[in-house]
Amino acid sequence: MSKNNEQEWPLWEVFYQPKNGKPYEHAGSLHATDAENALQNARDVYARRNEGIGIWVVPSNQITASTPEDMGPFFDPASDKPYRHPQFYSVPRAVKKRS
Amino acid sequence: MSTETLTKNDAFITYLLRLADDRLILGQRMAEWCGHGPVLEEDLAMANMSLDLIGHASALYTYASELEGSGLDDDYFAYFRDDYEFTNLQLCELPKGDFAFTMARQFLFSSFSYFQYQILKNATDEQFKGMINKHLKEIKYHLRHSRDWVLRLGDGTEESHKRIQDAFDELWMYIGEFFHSDEIDEIMLREGNGADLSSFKDEWKTMIEETFKEATLTVPDWDQFMMTGSRKGMHTEHLGHILTQLQFLRRSHPDADWK
């Protein structure tokens, strides 16, 4: 897209909710003129095969993201802290079913 | 079968074919945008709408062939009838024009269909009622999407405003047919399967006028000259051309089979 189109048709990120109670998941991105247009385009681009029951669209430039340089300080400290994972006891079947 | 039941059945078939022909021809026109949309997202949106419309036509043709009962299938209605046998609105067969023209036409058609289907969804015939209710959901989306573009183009740039105003001015003489009613409509209405077109004409006009106002467009003259005759098989020069494209493959291989 040309620079002019990039301004008139900015990028949006699309999230959809697969089922009631489930968290929204990132589906992809698209170009749209405004929020309503982005919502409609999301419906046409990402909701063609029963993907979900709800859609969020967010201007891509409103998302603050970590950079590859952040990987060390952000994620490495977690790797030697297995006690943060609830893996030392068995989960009752009834609870498993619910998730 | 008494003469009266035959008439009712014939009227039902004719009615289904009218609805189906509108959707097949408009769907085919919309499909011409596939791969030519202004942006990828809109290309997909138009292909979706086109497939919705052709899907509606297919369901209606299938039901018509069941009622017809002589073994003709939905393919016969779509591919083996000639132009004078098609009863689609002339509005549907006009060339796709530019993007503004396509959206203006879709808005006029979808808004009319929306009101018409709001009544037909309470039809007494269960199978007919079922498909109308299913299709109405998609019509609502077509209306939302096309209306949105009417607002955006009308209240957009000088160029987009001019293009969509020109489109409506050109399309205007084809909207009179929406509310044309004949003996088929009367029989269907009596049987509880039709829609009294006059009952929602004012409401439809209000929707058009409000949308035009919001889009800063000028409403053309409601009382200007209007085309007629498509329900009797009278068409513009464009129908024959679109049918040659639509029917060519099927007629070249009349015995072809998917299986």
Side-chain angles (χ1 to χ4, degrees), chain B residues 29-46:
Chain B
R29 274 291 179 227
M30 186 67 103
E32 291 173 8
W33 278 102
C34 191
H36 301 275
V39 291
L40 174 113
E41 288 80 356
E42 200 51 41
D43 199 289
L44 281 170
M46 287 191 285

Side-chain angles (χ1 to χ4, degrees), chain A residues 36-45, chain B residues 41-42 45-46 48-49 52 106 110 114 135-149:
Chain A
E36 168 65 18
N37 188 226
L39 203 54
Q40 290 182 18
N41 287 349
R43 181 259 193 199
D44 286 320
V45 179
Chain B
E41 288 80 356
E42 200 51 41
M46 287 191 285
N48 273 349
M49 280 196 271
D52 289 348
Q106 193 61 45
S110 297
Y114 170 76
H135 300 168
L136 180 57
K137 289 178 194 168
E138 291 175 339
I139 290 172
K140 283 181 187 170
Y141 183 73
H142 300 172
L143 176 57
R144 176 172 171 178
H145 191 76
S146 57
R147 184 178 180 277
D148 207 54
W149 275 111

Side-chain angles (χ1 to χ4, degrees), chain A residues 1-95:
Chain A
M1 271 197 178
S2 68
K3 200 175 173 197
N4 191 28
N5 276 345
E6 201 60 63
Q7 282 164 4
E8 285 177 12
W9 291 71
L11 198 64
W12 299 70
E13 299 301 321
V14 180
F15 300 82
Y16 70 94
Q17 188 181 25
K19 273 183 191 171
N20 236 336
K22 291 281 181 193
Y24 278 72
E25 293 175 23
H26 188 228
S29 55
L30 50 76
H31 289 276
T33 52
D34 60 29
E36 168 65 18
N37 188 226
L39 203 54
Q40 290 182 18
N41 287 349
R43 181 259 193 199
D44 286 320
V45 179
Y46 294 110
R48 292 154 51 85
R49 298 174 190 89
N50 270 329
E51 281 87 345
I53 58 158
I55 299 177
W56 284 349
V57 287
V58 182
S60 301
N61 64 11
Q62 292 301 305
I63 291 177
T64 310
S66 66
T67 64
E69 291 81 67
D70 293 331
M71 261 175 76
F74 273 41
F75 306 114
D76 281 357
S79 59
D80 60 351
K81 296 180 179 64
Y83 50 84
R84 287 184 179 171
H85 297 272
Q87 60 191 7
F88 298 106
Y89 56 88
S90 54
V91 181
R93 199 183 297 163
V95 176

Side-chain angles (χ1 to χ4, degrees), chain B residues 232-250:
Chain B
K232 299 274 177 220
M234 285 156 67
H235 292 281
T236 68
E237 65 185 287
H238 307 294
L239 182 66
H241 293 278
I242 194 172
L243 285 179
T244 57
Q245 292 206 332
L246 173 71
Q247 297 179 331
F248 158 76
L249 191 71
R250 196 72 183 87

